[in-house]
Structures are given as structure tokens and as C-alpha cells.
Amino acid sequence: MKDNDVCIRPIRKQSHFIEYTLTFSVIIWFIILVMAPVYGILREVIRNGAGIFIDSISSPAAIHSFKLTFWITVTAIFINTIFGVMLALVFVKQDFRGKIFLEGLVDLPFAVSPVVAGFMFIMLFGPNGWLGSWFGSYNIKIIYALPGMVIATLFVTLPFVAREVMPVLAEYGIEQEEAAYILGASKWQTFWKVTLPSIKWGLVYGITLTFARSIGEFGAVLVVSGSIINKTQTATLHIHQQFTDFNYAGAFTASLILAVLSFSILIIMKCVYKRKEKGYRWA
Amino acid sequence: MGIVVRDIYKRFGGFIAVDGVSFDVREGELVALLGPSGSGKSTILRIIAGLEIPDRGEIYLKRENVTALSPRQRKVGFVFQHYALFKHMTVEKNIAFGLEVQKRKRKDIEEKVRELIRLVKLEGYEGHYPSQLSGGQRQRVALARTLATEPSVLLLDEPFGALDAKVRDNLAKWLKELHVKLNITSVFVTHDQNEAIEISDKIVVINRGKVEQIGTAKDVYEHPNSKFVASFIGNVNVVDAVIKNGLIFIKDTDFEIIDRDIDVSVDRDIVLLVRPEDILVEKDSKQEGFPCMIQDVHYRGSFYEFNLCMGDTYIRSVKDKDDFLGKKWEKNQKAFVVFKQYKIFDASEGHWEIREKLRQLGYIE
Ligand SMILES: Nc1ncnc2c1ncn2[C@@H]1O[C@H](COP(=O)(O)OP(=O)(O)OP(=O)(O)O)[C@@H](O)[C@H]1O
Ligand SMILES: [Mg+2]
């Protein structure tokens, strides 16, 4: 026993040194990159006093922009959760020609700059665009209106749920589902009772990412919305507008709210991971 | 008839996995599908269950043609090789699944689950998740889950394949008892001839997608109707030998084999296939025994297994317990072996090629 202790100690010391250095650098890096900007916003808001904070956030334009962001986010999560799960199911369980090509296409929103994506939609849905003129003939406005903003957000958040669910589905394989069929479950029952619970954590994580991306989306939405105050201005566009109008207090308060939201998402994500790990142990 | 399989074919791409298989399973019978790896056993079982659609042929369950029915409608029980338990459900929930999707009454479900847990001896494990169970326990949960819906036939794909030998033996015996108790028409897949012999009423030997032989364990073991069956059942030893100047020798030794039925006029290589139980191990050479060295002796419950070495050739032999008693067999001890019975394979291509050929034919694993 004694001998062992003697042997282990020097090694421990060494690894501690490396650990500390690593931890220290990570913390410094984290402070510079993440904490400082957050503190900056917070300080700015506090310096200007709570009055301005309340005023700037209760302006109709600000409230409208947050509402808009909220509804776009909810719609994007709803549609992309369903569509993302469907995509994952098709790609993992089905075999067809051109599958590899299509699978690559799912990642396109990651590769294309949001601004470029926005312009693609202008080309497509704009008044002179291919689909836009068709919609126009029915008096439906897509670009510079809510539908366009939702479509743009759907596009940029498309890969999240699909990409998170796919590996989980692939890992679970088909046997549990076959077992469910044989035990008399319908396809629908099998999906709800077997498939969905098994992809649950991938799905939750995908939705969290979709949420974060939706509330923060700027480029694509800016291009397709035209950023019309009280009409097509989302929270991020509102911040941008306040900033360019030298209304820093408004910009900072709105930013703080978004930052707090994002931070809550991070906390939620963390909890999800904790439970996921637990879930692996138990299931 | 419990199950009738009529002339089924199944191909995957260019590969014919099941090639015209027919067999019957009587009501209440326990039948083993026995064959080497890749011979199509699982595919046949999956076709019976409806998980795979045959390209041709019919399946009847209780006189009803179910070929066009989905797995749901067939009401068969299927136990997967790797259990396929629902990982996110407790033991209790797993067992209740089949009843819950049928929307049975809660009270009935609870009662049935309790009864099954008792049957598979898993009391106290109701709230455990599959990952908290041992392999044997998982297999029993899988069985209970399947039995819950009271299937008219039970299909088991290598039910004990993933378990270690000890657990496998116990579980196999337990399954046999259970089968006697419930008397449910069952088919189980295995590549282990001992398992098949031990617990089945009837064995269907499958090789390369075809039925080689159907019969009781005794039939198949003692009256094999093909070379394949003869060698596949009972782990053969492969012994290389040469014919030289009208005499037969075990390769690289001067141990001579006396056999008047072989044509010894041409010098060539031959291969002997000898079953472990056809090898007699003696302490001293009363008969014309070949000297050998005992590598090790394993206790196997009802018998002992010997690993012997004759020159460069390793062989496996078994000896009854009774036979064993009173004599002292030890590692690195000299002994003599006699081949009571063997099969000869003739080839001019040499030992290596003939071994390959035997392997392709399924003689050796
Ligand atoms: N879905 C599939 N697609 C392509 N080939 C398949 C498929 N399922 C089975 N096969 C092939 O069919 C053959 C028979 O497979 P099967 O699983 O029935 O064998 P098996 O007798 O159960 O073997 P084992 O004892 O190893 O389980 C194998 O060569 C396998 O590669
Ligand atoms: Mg198999």
C-alpha cells in the first residue's frame, strides 16, 4: 500500500498542473469571449437606469418585434420538429435512389450564408420571382411579409432536428419496432410508444437548437422582411434598428433580453444533457 | 398442423437466402432449425413471422394461409436473438406492452404481468430497466413479453446464442420445461447441434437455404441422409492423411491406418473426418492405437472432453463419466487413440484445398 502511494503521487501532481493550466486558459478565454460582452450589455443597461430600460422595452415597436420573434420561433419549432423527424425517419429507415444526394442537401442551410439564403427566397418569392408572381396573382404576399420570414427561418433551422435525431434512430435500429409490430402494435402505436421515446433526447436537443437559432436569426430574415417597423421587424432586427438610430439604451435592453433568453436555453440544454446521461444509464 | 411452410424462396439482390424450403410443425411440437451460420435460418423464421415477405411459397398457421398477412395479424410470438427489449421501459412495462396496445383492461394486464413475472422467475425485478439486467434475465423478459399476448405459435431466433455456455444450458432446459408446461407450438433457430438435440422434438437441418434433413434428434444423428448432416451434427475432427506405397499414414507421422475399403493403388492426400465420440482414448495400447499426448481434459458435466495431439494434429474426443472414473487422466500424459469410425475424403489437390472444399460444403465450421 505504502509503495503504491509513493508511486502515484508525483504522477498526480503533474496531471494536476496540466489540468489547472487547461482550466485556467479555458476560463480566461470564456471571460474574454462570452462573459465580457454580456457584462458590457448589463453595465450599459444599469448605467442608463431602470427607467429607460422599462421605457425602451415597452415601446410598441419593441413589443411588436418580440411578439413577432416569438411567433416565428414557435412556428419554426412546430414545423421543423415534425418535418425533421419525418426526414430522419425517411433517411434512416428507407432506401431509395438519390438518398445520398438528398442527405447532403439537408446540410445546405449550414453551408449557405443566411444572407445568401434570404436572397434566394427573394428570387423565388419576390414580386417578379417564379413562385412569387403566382402567389401574387392570388394577392398573397410572401416577401416583406410574415410568410417569407417564417420560410427563411424554417430554412436556416431545417438541419437541427433532423441531424440530431438521425444518429439516435440509426443507433436504435429496427428490432424494437419489429418487436412492437409482432406484439400487435400498429405503425402509429409503434411510433408513439417505441420510436419516439427512443429518439426523445435527440429530439429535445434538436428543438433547443432550433429555438436558439430562430430567436437569434438575423441575416436571412433581414433580407426577406425588409425590416418594416411594427410590421416585419423581429427582435434582432429591432436591435439593429435601435443601434443604427443611436438609441443605444433601447438596443442594449433588447439585447439583454435576448441574451437572458439564450442563457436560459443554455441552462435548459445543460439540464437535458444531465438527464440524457442519466437516461443512458437507466434506459 | 401448427405451422406449415410450403416451398418458400427468398432472395436478397443476387443472393438466394432461402431456396425452396418446406416443413411442417405439428401442434404443440418444439422444432429446431439447425444449420451453419448464414444458411438462412433467421430468414425462414422471419418469413414465418411475416417480418420478411417470401418471393414465392406459402405459410399456414393453424390451417390458415397467412402468407399475405402482416406480422400483427399473424399473432405469432417472436423472440429476437438480441432480445430487442424496449430500452426505455421497465420489465413490467415491457411485458405489458402487447396487452396495452390491445387496450385490455388495466386489471387484467396487471394480473397477467404478475403471473408471467412469476413464470419467468423475475420477481423483484418489475421496476428494473433492461440495462440493469443480466443477459439471461433479459432473455426471460423477452420470453415473458412474447408469451403475454398468448401467441398460437412461438418463434425463437437463437434464443440462447448471446449467452455464455452455463446460462445457455440452464435456460435451454428451462425452455424445454416451459414448453412442456404450456404446450405451445414452437420453432427455434440454433447453430448448436447439442442444443438442438437436447431440447427439440424434431430437427430441421438447413444448409445453404435448403432443407437437408428432417427428423428426430435420433434420426438425424444416427441416420444422416447426407454427408453434410453427418458431419455438421457432432463437431467433427479433421485429420489429414496420406497414401504412400499402398499404406495410409496420418500426415507427417508414421502412424498407420488400416483400412481395406480404400483404394491405395495411387499415392495421394486424403482427409479423415472423425466424430469425437468415435475416438477411443486408452491408457495403454491394447489395440492398434496411435500414440498421442493429452493436451487438456475438460469437465463437461455428464462427460469429459479431451484435447489430444497426435504429432501436429489436434483432435477432440469425449469420454463418458463412468468410463472416466477410477482412471487418472492428466495433462501431458501419453495415451493411445483408436478411430472406431471415420469418413474419408479423397482429393488429389492436397489437404489445404480439400479442407476449403469441406468448409464450403459445411462439413467443418
Ligand atoms: N436483409 C438482407 N439483405 C441482404 N442479405 C441478407 C439479408 N438478410 C439476410 N441476408 C443474407 O441471407 C443469408 C442468410 O441469412 P440468415 O440471417 O437467414 O442466416 P442465419 O442462418 O440466420 O445465420 P446466423 O446463424 O449467422 O444467424 C446470409 O448470407 C445473409 O447475408
Ligand atoms: Mg440468424
Side-chain angles (χ1 to χ4, degrees), chain B residues 12 15 17 35-44 52 81 158 189 191:
Chain B
F12 294 109
F15 180 80
S37 187
S39 56
K41 309 176 298 282
S42 295
T43 309
I44 295 168
E52 215 79 69
Q81 181 167 359
E158 309 224 9
V189 161
H191 59 250

Side-chain angles (χ1 to χ4, degrees), chain B residues 134-148:
Chain B
S134 73
Q137 289 169 335
R138 286 180 208 176
Q139 186 58 283
R140 299 208 302 270
V141 176
L143 204 54
R145 181 179 71 177
T146 301
L147 292 173

Side-chain angles (χ1 to χ4, degrees), chain A residues 3-280:
Chain A
D3 286 349
N4 274 351
D5 282 348
V6 171
C7 273
I8 286 167
R9 250 184 215 133
I11 298 169
R12 271 210 188 143
K13 233 177 207 161
Q14 211 170 12
S15 70
H16 264 309
F17 174 73
I18 295 172
E19 269 170 35
Y20 286 146
T21 321
L22 256 176
T23 314
F24 187 70
S25 0
V26 167
I27 289 173
I28 292 290
W29 185 241
F30 189 75
I31 287 173
I32 294 172
L33 216 63
V34 185
M35 302 285 274
V38 172
Y39 172 71
I41 294 173
L42 201 63
R43 208 178 77 109
E44 210 52 44
V45 171
I46 291 166
R47 207 171 55 120
N48 291 316
I52 297 177
F53 173 88
I54 290 164
D55 283 352
S56 61
I57 205 57
S58 53
S59 78
I63 290 174
H64 184 270
S65 74
F66 272 96
K67 271 189 185 161
L68 194 58
T69 290
F70 175 76
W71 285 116
I72 290 174
T73 302
V74 168
T75 316
I77 287 176
F78 182 73
I79 295 178
N80 267 349
T81 299
I82 294 174
F83 192 61
V85 170
M86 272 161 52
L87 263 182
L89 282 173
V90 167
F91 282 135
V92 174
K93 309 252 174 208
Q94 245 75 279
D95 242 328
F96 53 88
R97 225 179 278 175
K99 180 168 145 174
I100 293 177
F101 176 72
L102 270 182
E103 230 186 304
L105 227 51
V106 172
D107 290 331
L108 193 68
F110 280 158
V112 174
S113 153
V115 177
V116 176
F119 276 117
M120 281 176 6
F121 286 116
I122 294 227
M123 297 296 173
L124 195 59
F125 292 110
N128 304 318
W130 170 51
L131 280 172
S133 53
W134 184 81
F135 277 114
S137 65
Y138 292 94
N139 256 334
I140 300 169
K141 224 174 136 193
I142 306 276
I143 295 301
Y144 306 132
L146 189 62
M149 298 163 74
V150 170
I151 291 172
T153 309
L154 283 177
F155 179 81
V156 296
T157 57
L158 168 72
F160 291 116
V161 169
R163 276 287 169 226
E164 287 304 320
V165 169
M166 265 185 228
V168 186
L169 261 185
E171 187 198 316
Y172 270 82
I174 195 171
E175 270 205 340
Q176 289 185 49
E177 283 162 21
E178 285 184 340
Y181 294 147
I182 289 193
L183 289 167
S186 64
K187 293 240 158 173
W188 192 241
Q189 283 172 320
T190 305
F191 176 77
W192 285 105
K193 284 174 172 260
V194 177
T195 315
L196 200 57
S198 68
I199 61 173
K200 188 167 51 184
W201 296 119
L203 193 60
V204 169
Y205 192 53
I207 290 174
T208 317
L209 290 175
T210 305
F211 178 78
R213 183 68 204 259
S214 296
I215 66 161
E217 178 49 30
F218 180 74
V221 172
L222 174 68
V223 174
V224 297
S225 71
S227 192
I228 307 161
I229 299 173
N230 274 331
K231 270 183 91 177
T232 63
Q233 203 172 62
T234 61
T236 47
L237 299 183
H238 174 74
I239 293 167
H240 181 65
Q241 166 102 48
Q242 299 286 301
F243 188 74
T244 45
D245 290 352
F246 301 106
N247 183 3
Y248 292 131
F252 288 135
T253 34
S255 299
L256 184 68
I257 290 175
L258 277 195
V260 166
L261 266 176
S262 304
F263 190 65
S264 330
I265 294 160
L266 281 178
I267 297 284
I268 292 168
M269 237 196 267
K270 204 76 212 143
C271 293
V272 165
Y273 256 143
K274 271 254 165 65
R275 292 204 52 183
K276 191 173 162 186
E277 271 161 28
K278 237 193 212 152
Y280 271 134

